[in-house]
């Protein structure tokens, strides 16, 4: 009987050592994954445009970027050429690690296309971006090909003449003027995604701006969040209402109110997608 107890004790100790070893191995693997994702975030942050490009030209502005995970599929890009300011707000396929890969690809292609002399307007820019995304990822629209791409709004603001030129893929642009929200509607297809290129042509929208106009670009993550008393999706109507309620505040205060409203709405529920909202005042 005594030998049986000793055998059982030794077996228990052996099993305990195995469990501890497995736990330590899992902890090490989790640390490696966490370190890799943190490093990916540093890389992503390094390729995002310098905020000063925006602030030096439109001082009243905000960028609200809240990834679902550590890294984000949402990204932004800014540039200034002469008196023209360029703003891109993009939502790449996926979030987390797959999303950050697509955001890095998208950001790199935008920089490449921006240096091309014959790309002169936002619609031409997005048409070129659409072609390059599919070309780079080998997406032809055939069965089995990938469907990766991005929703994106691309703005050109002529600061001297206060003229806006805009093209968008699945993402509207809002302008609030005199307490009214004006919506510039997007084309109904994404950039990339393997859709037949000959069937896609981005629309160019021209809009005369006025001093005091506020422009908003955004991904779909904010309005798609589940929450509230019934744990339902927020949707776009409450988002528009919120922007109208806060638009007279300084834009950095608007960012705080957007953040507070979102987290109150979400409550204890999980964030479902990355969030990016850009606001600028003319």
């Amino acid at each position: 009987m005594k030998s049986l107890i000793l055998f059982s004790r030794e077996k228990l100790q052996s099993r305990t050592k195995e469990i501890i070893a497995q736990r330590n191995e899992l902890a090490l693997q989790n640390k490696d994954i966490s370190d890799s994702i943190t490093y990916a975030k540093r890389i992503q942050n390094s390729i995002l445009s310098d905020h000063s490009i925006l602030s030096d030209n439109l001082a009243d502005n905000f960028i609200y970027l809240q990834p679902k995970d550590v890294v984000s599929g949402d990204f932004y890009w800014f540039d200034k050429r002469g008196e023209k300011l360029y703003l891109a707000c993009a939502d790449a396929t996926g979030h987390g690690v797959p999303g950050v890969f697509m955001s890095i690809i998208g950001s790199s292609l935008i920089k490449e296309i921006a240096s091309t002399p014959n790309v002169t307007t936002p619609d031409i820019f997005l048409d070129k971006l659409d072609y390059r995304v599919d070309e780079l990822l080998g997406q032809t629209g055939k069965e089995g090909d990938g469907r990766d791409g991005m929703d994106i709004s691309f703005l050109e603001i002529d600061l001297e003449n206060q003229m806006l030129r805009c093209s968008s893929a699945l993402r509207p642009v809002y302008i609030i003027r005199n307490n009214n929200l004006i919506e510039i509607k997007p084309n109904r297809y994404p950039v990339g995604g393997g859709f037949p290129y000959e069937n896609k042509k981005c629309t160019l929208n021209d809009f005369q701006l006025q001093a005091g106009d506020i422009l908003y670009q955004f991904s779909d993550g904010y309005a798609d969040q589940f929450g509230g008393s019934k744990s339902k999706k927020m949707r776009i109507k409450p988002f528009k209402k919120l922007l109208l309620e806060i638009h007279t505040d300084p834009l950095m205060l608007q960012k705080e109110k957007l953040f507070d409203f979102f987290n109150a709405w979400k409550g204890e529920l999980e964030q479902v997608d990355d969030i990016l909202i850009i606001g600028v005042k003319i």
Side-chain angles (χ1 to χ4, degrees):
M1 183 68 176
K2 186 177 180 180
S3 61
L4 182 61
I5 293 172
L6 288 173
F7 175 77
S8 298
R9 186 179 297 167
E10 289 174 358
K11 188 175 181 180
L12 178 61
Q13 289 174 342
S14 175
R15 182 58 181 152
T16 301
K17 287 180 181 178
E18 288 180 16
I19 293 172
I20 292 173
Q22 290 172 357
R23 184 185 65 188
N24 291 339
E25 179 65 23
L26 285 173
L28 182 60
Q29 290 176 2
N30 287 337
K31 184 179 184 303
D32 288 343
I33 293 170
S34 178
D35 289 347
S36 296
I37 293 174
T38 300
Y39 187 71
K41 183 173 180 62
R42 288 203 297 270
I43 294 174
Q44 183 174 42
N45 288 341
S46 72
I47 66 171
L48 290 173
S49 296
D50 189 342
H51 192 172
S52 66
I53 297 174
L54 193 58
S55 298
D56 289 348
N57 295 281
L58 295 170
D60 200 4
N61 70 80
F62 72 80
I63 303 170
Y64 174 17
L65 178 60
Q66 183 172 317
K68 177 186 183 299
D69 304 305
V70 178
V71 289
S72 173
D74 291 0
F75 67 97
Y76 56 84
W77 175 86
F78 310 131
D79 197 13
K80 170 82 182 302
R81 298 186 178 187
E83 288 302 312
K84 293 181 178 179
L85 182 65
Y86 298 91
L87 295 79
C89 174
D91 178 357
T93 303
H95 47 73
V97 174
V100 78
F101 274 119
M102 277 303 302
S103 73
I104 290 172
I105 289 171
S107 182
S108 298
L109 289 177
I110 287 172
K111 291 176 182 177
E112 171 195 308
I113 295 167
S115 64
T116 305
N118 62 344
V119 178
T120 55
T121 57
D123 57 328
I124 296 175
F125 195 103
L126 290 193
D127 283 340
K128 182 68 173 177
L129 181 61
D130 175 67
Y131 176 79
R132 288 289 288 121
V133 169
D134 283 342
E135 180 184 50
L136 183 64
L137 299 179
Q139 299 178 153
T140 64
K142 295 179 181 178
E143 186 176 353
D145 279 359
R147 290 289 183 181
D148 298 307
M150 66 194 73
D151 305 343
I152 181 171
S153 61
F154 191 90
L155 310 184
E156 175 194 280
I157 301 175
D158 186 326
L159 298 170
E160 183 176 6
N161 299 308
Q162 293 191 340
M163 175 61 71
L164 170 68
R165 310 193 89 184
C166 167
S167 287
S168 302
L170 287 177
R171 301 310 312 145
V173 174
Y174 294 162
I175 303 169
I176 296 184
R177 172 188 295 174
N178 299 328
N179 298 313
N180 293 311
L181 189 148
I182 303 162
E183 180 175 351
I184 299 179
K185 295 186 180 296
N187 292 107
R188 301 307 301 169
Y189 44 75
V191 161
F195 294 93
Y197 180 74
E198 61 272 14
N199 295 335
K200 297 172 71 174
K201 180 66 177 175
C202 283
T203 303
L204 180 64
N205 300 283
D206 291 340
F207 190 89
Q208 184 63 57
L209 297 170
Q210 297 178 7
D213 286 347
I214 304 176
L215 281 61
Y216 297 97
Q217 296 170 270
F218 49 93
S219 65
D220 61 2
Y222 196 95
D224 280 353
Q225 179 62 43
F226 290 91
S229 60
K230 297 182 180 179
S231 298
K232 290 187 175 181
K233 189 179 290 189
M234 183 191 305
R235 301 194 183 279
I236 203 69
K237 189 175 180 180
F239 177 58
K240 289 181 178 180
K241 181 182 177 183
L242 177 60
L243 290 179
L244 283 167
E245 288 175 354
I246 67 175
H247 81 276
T248 56
D249 294 324
L251 269 78
M252 285 304 296
L253 180 56
Q254 291 186 39
K255 177 182 176 180
E256 293 178 16
K257 289 186 175 182
L258 284 163
F259 176 84
D260 291 343
F261 182 90
F262 177 83
N263 286 284
W265 171 264
K266 179 175 72 69
E268 298 301 318
L269 297 178
E270 180 183 0
Q271 183 175 331
V272 299
D273 200 358
D274 302 320
I275 295 169
L276 175 58
I277 307 173
I278 301 171
V280 296
K281 186 173 184 178
I282 303 301

